[in-house]
Amino acid sequence: MRIHSISKATAGVAAVAFALTACGGGNGGEGGGDGDTITIGVKYDQPGLGLEEGGDKPTGLDVDVATYVAKELGYDEDQIEWTEAASANRETFLQQGTVDMVVATYSITDERKKLVDFAGPYYVAQQDILVQDGNEDITKAEDLAGKKLCSASGSRSAHTITDTLEIDAELRETQNYSECLQLLTDGQIDAVTTDNTILAGYAAQQPGKFKLLGQEIQEERYGIGLPKGSTERCEAVNKAISKMYEDGSAEKYLDANFGEAKFSYETEQPEFEGCA
């Protein structure tokens, strides 16, 4: 098992290099087992979902799901090559063959479906709000009026609050959600908003310090990204996701990654989008 980390600045060059060398054998068939590898893109900076801290492999729900799916496709764990897939390069990596699949809080949208294929979703997240555990002033989105709200730069979550819901919160944007959590800890902001899975992952790192409000502001359907034209593989991945829910593995992964976060995660298998 190998781990690759690709910065945004070098993503284009790295994509060509990977495509010409040992990028996974998954595109050639539905399984492994013949010395092939499969290259999977995940996040490296999201606790509970995809976090790389110098170990043998990243950790988190997305990594657990990807490992399970790969096994069902015929790949042992040591045949998986992990690559960092940031939000900005997921489509490019799939189009150029840098990765065989992406499992990285990759929300299924009509625009993205024009560029890549999606299996799943394997989980449906909801936009939520995170506050300090003792905060009783903010219990719903409307309570953010006049409050300081943080979200990562480039995220649509904060603007859903201010623009779509027309709630007059004071926005504070940071480079990533780790910075938002630090500001929340220091009392410089009142709340953080994004997908409940992302918030729960951070909250689970510091049990008892934060709480999710359990809001369902906006739905995010996490799919497994595949190169365009991967109908057969998409169907195989959907079969694996169904089995993951049927045998209890999905609930086990959710509890392992979010059980300390006071997070009411969904345990029902989502309805699939369907393979083109």
Side-chain angles (χ1 to χ4, degrees):
M1 179 188 342
R2 288 183 285 176
I3 299 176
H4 303 298
S5 180
I6 301 177
S7 69
K8 294 180 181 179
T10 60
V13 174
V16 175
F18 273 108
L20 294 175
T21 54
C23 178
N27 286 336
E30 294 312 306
D34 298 319
D36 292 338
T37 61
I38 184 168
T39 304
I40 304 176
V42 296
K43 294 287 182 69
Y44 276 14
D45 62 349
Q46 289 184 341
L49 291 158
L51 184 66
E52 205 287 301
E53 296 182 291
D56 292 337
K57 71 172 186 177
T59 59
L61 175 65
D62 287 349
V63 178
D64 292 337
V65 170
T67 302
Y68 186 99
V69 169
K71 183 178 180 181
E72 291 301 307
L73 295 179
Y75 296 94
D76 294 330
E77 192 167 339
D78 61 4
Q79 292 177 287
I80 301 174
E81 296 184 354
W82 301 100
T83 292
E84 181 178 15
S87 297
N89 60 30
R90 291 175 297 197
E91 287 87 16
T92 302
F93 277 12
L94 288 167
Q95 290 172 325
Q96 295 185 348
T98 306
V99 298
D100 297 306
M101 64 175 63
V102 170
V103 190
T105 58
Y106 200 6
S107 297
I108 301 171
T109 68
D110 290 339
E111 286 301 309
R112 288 171 178 165
K113 283 161 62 171
K114 296 175 183 177
L115 303 173
V116 300
D117 285 351
F118 282 101
Y122 59 91
Y123 191 77
V124 179
Q126 299 285 343
Q127 182 181 340
D128 202 352
I129 298 164
L130 188 77
V131 298
Q132 289 192 8
D133 192 39
N135 188 321
E136 302 298 333
D137 295 331
I138 303 174
T139 61
K140 57 187 182 300
E142 289 75 14
D143 294 335
L144 292 171
K147 300 292 195 297
K148 296 176 182 177
L149 175 66
C150 188
S151 189
S153 179
S155 169
R156 62 183 180 177
S157 299
H159 295 285
T160 298
I161 299 290
T162 58
D163 299 341
T164 305
L165 298 182
E166 299 182 341
I167 296 170
D168 188 22
E170 181 182 336
L171 293 187
R172 176 74 178 270
E173 291 192 344
T174 60
Q175 289 299 309
N176 53 56
Y177 287 106
S178 295
E179 294 180 25
C180 282
L181 265 290
Q182 188 59 54
L183 293 174
L184 183 60
T185 299
D186 295 342
Q188 296 184 46
I189 60 167
D190 300 296
V192 183
T193 188
T194 187
D195 301 359
N196 54 7
T197 49
I198 297 173
L199 296 175
Y202 281 109
Q205 288 190 315
Q206 303 179 67
K209 292 197 68 172
F210 308 107
K211 65 179 179 182
L212 282 83
L213 298 186
Q215 301 291 287
E216 296 184 356
I217 299 168
Q218 181 169 265
E219 189 176 86
E220 302 290 350
R221 297 172 65 80
Y222 292 163
I224 294 181
L226 302 166
K228 199 69 177 169
S230 301
T231 303
E232 185 178 355
R233 168 146 293 185
C234 174
E235 292 171 348
V237 171
N238 280 350
K239 183 177 179 181
I241 294 171
S242 293
K243 183 178 178 181
M244 182 178 70
Y245 274 91
E246 289 166 2
D247 67 16
S249 294
E251 185 169 357
K252 180 181 73 174
Y253 299 151
L254 286 160
D255 186 63
N257 289 294
F258 304 122
E260 298 291 337
K262 298 181 181 179
F263 174 42
S264 300
Y265 49 77
E266 294 292 334
T267 58
E268 295 287 328
Q269 178 187 317
E271 182 179 350
F272 291 151
E273 294 277 324
C275 301

